[in-house]
């Protein structure tokens, strides 16, 4: 007999969950599942309000990349006052054992756009520390600093998605406005950072959510693996959506 997952505190508040996907293929399955949808367009950003099962939800098609994701998150937080943000979608796998359709729940994410370069090579920036304009902020590490989504949301996602028909892993997500198709580069990134996959929005969403004080969770489904040559499969977005919707049933 299936037991119902305990609802965490952020799902028991009055605010909705802001559920994000960068592309139409990543958000359309949720729009189709949404009850009593009401569409709102703000500039080029589209939001849908309604219910996913028992949960009030606002769906957001953020657009691709860090700039679009940050802007959509800020708009969503300001206009809809969400209790939590769930940033989900597709990603490219890194590991040799990573398979298309696997899930990655982000325990941390790094901003691959925040780099410092000199004659010694590439190092990484902590943008939050730089804003404080201290001497310590000018120490640039060889490994990227990690941003952490909300720990309670991460635990809830891992517990709720453990029955997914595929491998579910937890770990680091690489996030930047880059699309890497070089197996050697991917292997080096994996060795340096421990990243399980790469995508283009999660770091911006986590940083923006923190500015608004809204807890945020991250989950990605692997849609391809350019290191092992597994081709892109958009159908996996529907598999992830079905699993996430069951969390709100």
């Amino acid at each position: 007999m299936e037991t119902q997952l305990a609802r965490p505190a952020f799902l028991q508040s009055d605010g909705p969950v802001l559920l994000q996907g960068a592309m139409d293929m990543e958000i359309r399955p949720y729009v189709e599942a949404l009850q009593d949808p009401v569409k709102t367009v703000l500039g080029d950003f589209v939001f849908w309000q309604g219910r996913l099962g028992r949960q009030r939800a606002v769906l957001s098609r953020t657009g691709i990349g860090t700039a679009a994701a940050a802007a959509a998150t800020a708009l969503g937080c300001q206009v809809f006052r969400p209790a939590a943000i769930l940033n989900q979608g597709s990603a490219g796998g890194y590991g040799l054992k990573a398979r298309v359709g696997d899930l990655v729940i982000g325990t941390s994410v790094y901003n691959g756009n925040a780099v410092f370069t000199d004659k010694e090579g590439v190092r990484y920036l902590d943008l939050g520390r730089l804003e404080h304009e201290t001497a310590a902020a000018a120490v640039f590490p060889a490994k990227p600093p990690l941003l952490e989504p909300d720990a309670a949301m991460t635990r809830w996602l891992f517990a709720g998605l453990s029955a997914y028909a595929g491998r579910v892993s937890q770990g680091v997500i690489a996030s930047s406005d880059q699309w890497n198709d070089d197996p050697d580069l991917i292997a080096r990134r994996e060795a340096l950072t421990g990243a399980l996959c790469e995508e283009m929005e999660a770091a911006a969403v986590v940083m923006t959510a923190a500015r608004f004080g809204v807890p945020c969770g991250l989950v990605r489904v692997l849609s391809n693996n350019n290191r092992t040559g597994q081709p892109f499969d958009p159908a996996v977005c529907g598999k992830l959506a079905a699993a996430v919707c069951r969390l709100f049933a």
Side-chain angles (χ1 to χ4, degrees):
M1 179 173 148
E2 186 175 344
T3 58
Q4 195 172 63
L5 188 67
R7 289 169 67 79
F10 54 80
L11 293 185
Q12 298 174 28
S13 67
D14 293 333
V17 168
L18 179 62
L19 192 153
Q20 302 172 313
M23 297 180 285
D24 186 60
M25 71 177 193
E26 295 173 339
I27 203 68
R28 187 191 317 116
Y30 299 97
V31 177
E32 293 172 351
L34 197 67
Q35 303 164 36
D36 304 319
V38 176
K39 185 177 180 180
T40 300
V41 180
L42 301 171
D44 190 40
F45 297 101
V46 185
F47 300 87
W48 296 263
Q49 300 176 71
R51 299 191 73 87
L52 287 174
R54 297 180 292 162
Q55 179 61 44
R56 284 183 59 211
V58 175
L59 309 181
S60 169
R61 189 177 65 210
T62 66
I64 297 173
T66 53
T73 303
L75 271 176
C77 288
Q78 185 67 30
V79 174
F80 301 103
R81 308 293 184 184
I85 298 170
L86 177 53
N87 181 257
Q88 59 82 50
S90 58
Y94 268 15
L96 292 174
K97 295 182 179 180
R99 296 289 178 264
V100 169
D102 289 351
L103 295 190
V104 173
I105 297 168
T107 56
S108 55
V109 60
Y110 75 84
N111 181 359
N113 290 333
V115 297
F116 173 86
T117 58
D118 62 9
K119 63 182 181 180
E120 303 298 327
V122 175
R123 283 170 285 165
Y124 290 87
L125 304 175
D126 186 329
L127 299 182
R129 292 178 65 184
L130 280 176
E131 289 184 6
H132 296 295
E133 302 178 12
T134 63
V139 177
F140 308 132
K143 292 185 178 182
L146 298 178
L147 305 163
E148 295 185 353
D150 184 75
M153 282 199 73
T154 301
R155 290 192 297 270
W156 174 73
L157 285 169
F158 189 66
L161 295 172
S162 60
Y164 174 79
R167 188 170 69 167
V168 181
S169 302
Q170 297 185 91
V172 180
I173 293 175
S175 188
S176 67
D177 293 324
Q178 300 176 32
W179 184 339
N180 295 310
D181 195 15
D182 178 349
D184 292 336
L185 175 60
I186 293 170
R188 291 195 298 272
R189 293 268 174 91
E190 181 193 26
L192 175 66
T193 67
L196 300 178
C197 63
E198 70 173 28
E199 53 77 74
M200 299 182 180
E201 294 83 31
V205 171
V206 171
M207 288 188 288
T208 306
R211 291 179 182 270
F212 283 88
V214 180
C216 177
L218 307 172
V219 60
R220 289 294 185 274
V221 61
L222 302 188
S223 56
N224 61 288
N225 188 330
N226 291 337
R227 187 176 175 193
T228 60
Q230 295 173 64
F232 178 74
D233 181 5
V236 295
C237 293
K239 289 180 60 179
L240 171 58
V244 170
C245 284
R246 285 194 291 271
L247 297 178
F248 302 118

